[in-house]
Amino acid sequence: MGQELVLLLFRVGFLALLWLFVLLAIRAIRTDLWGVPRRQTQAVAVRPPVAPVPVPAGRGRRNRPAQRLVVTQGALVGTTVTLGAAPVTIGRANTSTLVLTDDFASAHHARLFPHNGEWFIEDVGSTNGTYLDRTRVTSPMPVPMGMPVRIGKTVLELRR
Amino acid sequence: MTATLLPTRGGRRGLEAGMLVFAALLATGAFAAVTYAHGASFTVQIAYYGAGFVVLFLGAHLAVRRFAPYADPLLLPLLAALSGIGLAMIYRIDLANADSAERAGRSAPSAYAPLQMMWTLVAVALFVGVLIVVKDHRALARYSYTAGLLGILLLLLPAVPGIGATINGARLWLRVGPLTFQPSEISKLLLLIFFAGFLMRKRDVLSVVTKSILGIPFPRARDLGPVLIAWGASLGMLFIENDLGQGILVFGMFLAVLYVATERVSWFIIGLLLAAAGAVIAFFTMPHVQPRFEIWLHAFQGNNPQGPSYQLVQGLFGFANGGILGTGWGQGAPQIVPFANTDFMMSSLGEELGLTGVMAILTIYLLLVMRGLRAAIGVRDSFGKLLAVGLAFSLCLQVFIIVGGVMRLIPLTGITLPLLSYGGSSTLSNFMLVALLVRISDAGRRPPTPATPLVDPAAAPDLIAATGPERVGPAEPAKTTPAEAPAETGAPTAPIAPTAPNAPAGSGERAP
């Protein structure tokens, strides 16, 4: 009787363990796909800083540098690049940070780099040019939040 | 091809370690259950086994930490879980075989579990080796033609008299002394590298369309060459080596990569039509294909259950005996089915773990394939994308072919159940497959590194010259030398220095 019980425990216990493993794996994938649940991120954002830094009135939040580069039009629409401290190269070359699949883009088309808390766009010698809204980029230009950057048929935007 | 680069919270190596411990717990639990059901009390041997398993995969984990710190944290634990469950089942069938031999008064047959443990050890070493040697998966693109040639040679090697050997009707084996090896398993990986490299260069040409039939745009007739060659090779394999499974696998892998490379449904349709034509040709010309259909379609008719369909029918009885929750480890009789620890692994597991267990195992495969496809989405170069898709899909197709065959959904063809079955070559190649996926996922999830001047513009011409003519395909003028040069330095995702010269021609205007 004791042995039967142990066998039953093994039988059901192993299956439970197996499914627990699967569910834990799925949970890990979920956080990978959508990041930390929204409630948690908001909680982090709301928490006051330990030593509040005086910010010039009216500028505060708006001046925070962009967090993401989002493709809003073109073949890669929906693609997001998280911005850090490193410049982002854009082009069709496989070595670019953002590899475009756009026939009208050059292999090395443009470069987005941070400078003094702002992101600048620079054309690195493309054939068809880089446009900040309607203006052709000839020298590095600061990119305002949400302003469309056009490269071939692709449109990019900075977002927070 | 859409790339999504979402924020990842570091490399998540801690999660990997935790999941690995869980996988070790699963493996040890299975082993303990088998031992207990066999009548032995819990011995210190179980603890040794569990500790050995942990040490083995901890080694792999440390290698991932060191050589691929941003890799997908789930690939290795999923691999470890499958491998552990497989080992337990192989051990369990060993015990059953030894028992029946003892009852019949024969000497115990050779045990497979120690061998498989040895193979797993070698496989983990190879897994680490792949991570160390392949620092950047894009370097593999340079050897794609070499890999293709080697892959085909390895496929043909068993046909050479003297070293080739026919085992269970298929001429798939190499025999060197007492060791047998199935080179087609390794050639599978080499061919995938070739497919990815070849299609990366030719995808623009192959996606050109001329006319559409029934609303589906079709490619030009002269671009059919590569597909026909792949088809011919698969069919040739079928004829030379008498093996259905590998041929289907190779052709299926090629079709999947081709479809992803060109984004044309028409290639898929053409491929399916060719596969159907191949099936018809094989059906009427090959002596051993017709019986396969007979075994499959009329498994329960006439004398078949005792005769040719015995294995399949016994496997199905195994599933039925398992029911929803299974008989429990060591409580069923999976050893009745011939090849219970290789081709019929799934029916063995189905009997002892039931539908619940089979679904969990299939879900683990699904997650593994999903993480592979996720690596393809995450990585930023087309070679890596195509290679990851090919690797993930080949795993998926293998599972489908053998599990479908065992469950009588499709005709049975003998290939191993990847990562679970007994088999040296299969274990080695599938561990290497997952290692390549780990490498690609690491490249995709690594945050962009600060731009350091990787290429001194003055030195660039030398590097360009060193890349060789093969790498500069005329089909892709835009992806020429300056882009490739940083790959030499081994920094996977470092953006190119802004000072590097731009690709000169053909990059701006749409190709005619």
Side-chain angles (χ1 to χ4, degrees):
Chain A
M1 190 64 208
Q3 200 199 2
E4 299 251 310
L5 192 69
V6 175
L7 283 175
L8 183 74
L9 268 177
F10 262 130
R11 186 177 152 201
V12 181
F14 184 80
L15 289 176
L17 213 61
L18 192 58
W19 273 104
L20 191 64
F21 178 80
V22 169
L23 292 177
L24 278 177
I26 291 172
R27 185 166 168 274
I29 289 176
R30 197 194 65 93
T31 54
D32 194 47
L33 284 180
W34 285 286
V36 188
R38 175 148 284 186
R39 271 174 282 116
Q40 267 170 272
T41 37
Q42 277 175 351
V44 171
V46 163
R47 192 187 301 152
V50 183
V53 184
V55 182
R59 294 189 68 192
R61 218 185 118 77
R62 188 167 299 174
N63 223 23
R64 206 159 57 96
Q67 303 288 309
R68 291 177 303 147
L69 176 67
V70 180
V71 180
T72 53
Q73 272 178 52
L76 290 177
V77 64
T79 304
T80 307
V81 180
T82 311
L83 297 172
V88 173
T89 55
I90 302 161
R92 282 171 44 175
N94 272 340
T95 40
S96 310
T97 318
L98 178 64
V99 181
L100 298 176
T101 48
D102 186 329
D103 290 340
F104 294 92
S106 297
H108 303 286
H109 201 111
R111 196 169 80 102
L112 193 71
F113 60 95
H115 181 71
N116 286 344
E118 264 188 296
W119 285 88
F120 282 73
I121 186 88
E122 178 190 17
D123 192 284
V124 291
S126 68
T127 311
N128 289 344
T130 305
Y131 293 85
L132 185 60
D133 205 8
R134 299 269 170 234
T135 332
R136 183 156 184 163
V137 177
T138 47
S139 59
M141 290 165 83
V143 184
M145 202 67 62
M147 171 91 66
V149 176
R150 291 169 209 279
I151 291 173
K153 288 185 157 183
T154 308
V155 180
L156 310 150
E157 246 180 67
L158 287 181
R159 301 240 178 104
R160 283 204 180 83
Chain B
M1 284 204 254
T2 311
T4 316
L5 313 169
L6 284 164
T8 46
R9 294 182 297 155
R12 307 191 79 191
R13 294 272 74 83
L15 173 73
E16 184 179 86
M19 290 299 281
L20 267 179
V21 170
F22 204 133
L25 194 68
L26 271 180
T28 317
F31 187 74
V34 168
T35 318
Y36 186 79
H38 191 247
S41 52
F42 299 113
T43 55
V44 72
Q45 203 195 349
I46 293 164
Y48 280 148
Y49 175 79
F53 194 85
V54 168
V55 167
L56 190 63
F57 281 96
L58 205 67
H61 168 70
L62 290 178
V64 171
R65 249 179 208 274
R66 173 85 176 74
F67 298 106
Y70 294 97
D72 193 305
L74 283 174
L75 287 169
L76 188 59
L78 294 171
L79 165 83
L82 288 174
S83 160
I85 294 168
L87 265 170
M89 185 45 93
I90 293 164
Y91 178 62
R92 185 252 169 279
I93 290 167
D94 274 353
L95 288 179
N97 284 339
D99 283 355
S100 57
E102 198 180 323
R103 269 196 301 273
R106 284 178 280 119
S107 59
S110 59
Y112 290 104
L115 275 177
Q116 180 67 11
M117 274 185 205
M118 191 202 76
W119 283 121
T120 311
L121 186 76
V122 179
V124 169
L126 271 179
F127 178 95
V128 175
V130 167
L131 288 185
I132 294 173
V133 173
V134 186
K135 286 233 163 19
D136 181 358
H137 64 272
R138 286 174 299 185
L140 293 175
R142 235 175 301 161
Y143 303 111
S144 60
Y145 283 92
T146 319
L149 197 68
L150 253 167
I152 290 175
L153 275 181
L154 278 178
L155 271 184
L156 294 178
L157 217 50
V160 178
I163 50 171
T166 306
I167 297 179
N168 307 323
R171 199 175 173 84
L172 272 177
W173 301 80
L174 283 187
R175 179 168 281 153
V176 184
L179 285 173
T180 52
F181 196 74
Q182 207 171 333
S184 59
E185 289 283 348
I186 301 297
S187 86
K188 180 181 76 185
L189 294 180
L190 292 170
L191 285 177
L192 271 175
I193 292 171
F194 168 66
F195 292 161
F198 174 78
L199 290 170
M200 175 190 75
R201 294 189 183 95
K202 300 282 183 223
R203 49 183 287 211
D204 292 344
V205 183
L206 290 175
S207 37
V208 171
V209 290
T210 44
K211 52 173 177 270
S212 56
I213 301 166
L214 297 172
I216 302 160
F218 269 84
R220 297 178 297 185
R222 61 178 164 145
D223 293 332
L224 283 170
V227 187
L228 287 176
I229 290 169
W231 180 70
S234 307
L235 214 62
M237 225 153 91
L238 197 71
F239 278 95
I240 297 168
E241 296 177 346
N242 260 357
D243 187 73
L244 216 58
Q246 296 291 346
I248 296 172
L249 187 61
V250 168
F251 190 61
M253 284 180 337
F254 180 75
L255 266 195
V257 182
L258 180 65
Y259 170 61
V260 173
T262 59
E263 300 174 51
R264 296 261 174 256
V265 187
S266 49
W267 280 121
F268 197 68
I269 296 170
I270 290 171
L272 284 185
L273 289 177
L274 281 174
V280 170
I281 292 172
F283 186 81
F284 287 109
T285 56
M286 303 271 305
H288 80 290
V289 172
Q290 258 164 329
R292 297 259 177 141
F293 277 85
E294 171 69 17
I295 287 169
W296 169 55
L297 285 173
H298 306 127
F300 287 97
Q301 280 167 22
N303 205 29
N304 281 354
Q306 288 82 42
S309 302
Y310 178 77
Q311 187 186 23
L312 183 60
V313 166
Q314 289 302 323
L316 291 174
F317 285 166
F319 280 117
N321 190 28
I324 300 282
L325 286 177
T327 58
W329 283 102
Q331 304 289 293
Q335 72 278 8
I336 291 173
V337 188
F339 300 105
N341 56 9
T342 55
D343 296 1
F344 273 70
M345 196 64 177
M346 204 39 138
S347 79
S348 306
L349 290 166
E351 178 165 2
E352 305 224 311
L353 303 180
L355 180 68
T356 320
V358 167
M359 276 163 56
I361 287 164
L362 289 179
T363 313
I364 294 178
Y365 275 122
L366 182 72
L367 292 176
L368 202 54
V369 171
M370 214 175 106
R371 295 321 283 169
L373 294 176
R374 179 71 183 71
I377 291 173
V379 79
R380 286 157 222 168
D381 66 291
S382 33
F383 174 75
K385 278 179 193 296
L386 294 180
L387 185 58
V389 163
L391 294 169
F393 184 75
S394 82
L395 202 60
C396 177
L397 193 61
Q398 274 185 77
V399 173
F400 175 74
I401 290 174
I402 186 60
V403 175
V406 168
M407 290 182 176
R408 214 178 143 229
L409 183 70
I410 55 173
L412 181 66
T413 55
I415 60 171
T416 55
L417 188 57
L419 303 168
L420 277 172
S421 287
Y422 168 75
S425 351
S426 148
T427 309
L428 297 188
S429 77
N430 286 312
F431 268 67
M432 281 160 76
L433 187 155
V434 178
L436 284 176
L437 283 179
V438 165
R439 168 53 70 220
I440 295 171
S441 75
D442 174 59
R445 297 161 65 99
R446 194 181 285 267
T449 43
T452 44
L454 291 167
V455 185
D456 181 18
D462 298 336
L463 278 173
I464 293 163
T467 55
E470 183 192 276
R471 306 188 59 212
V472 188
E476 279 188 291
K479 285 172 187 157
T480 43
T481 38
E484 311 273 24
E488 311 273 340
T489 63
T493 55
I496 190 159
T499 46
N502 204 46
S507 48
E509 258 54 80
R510 183 191 279 274

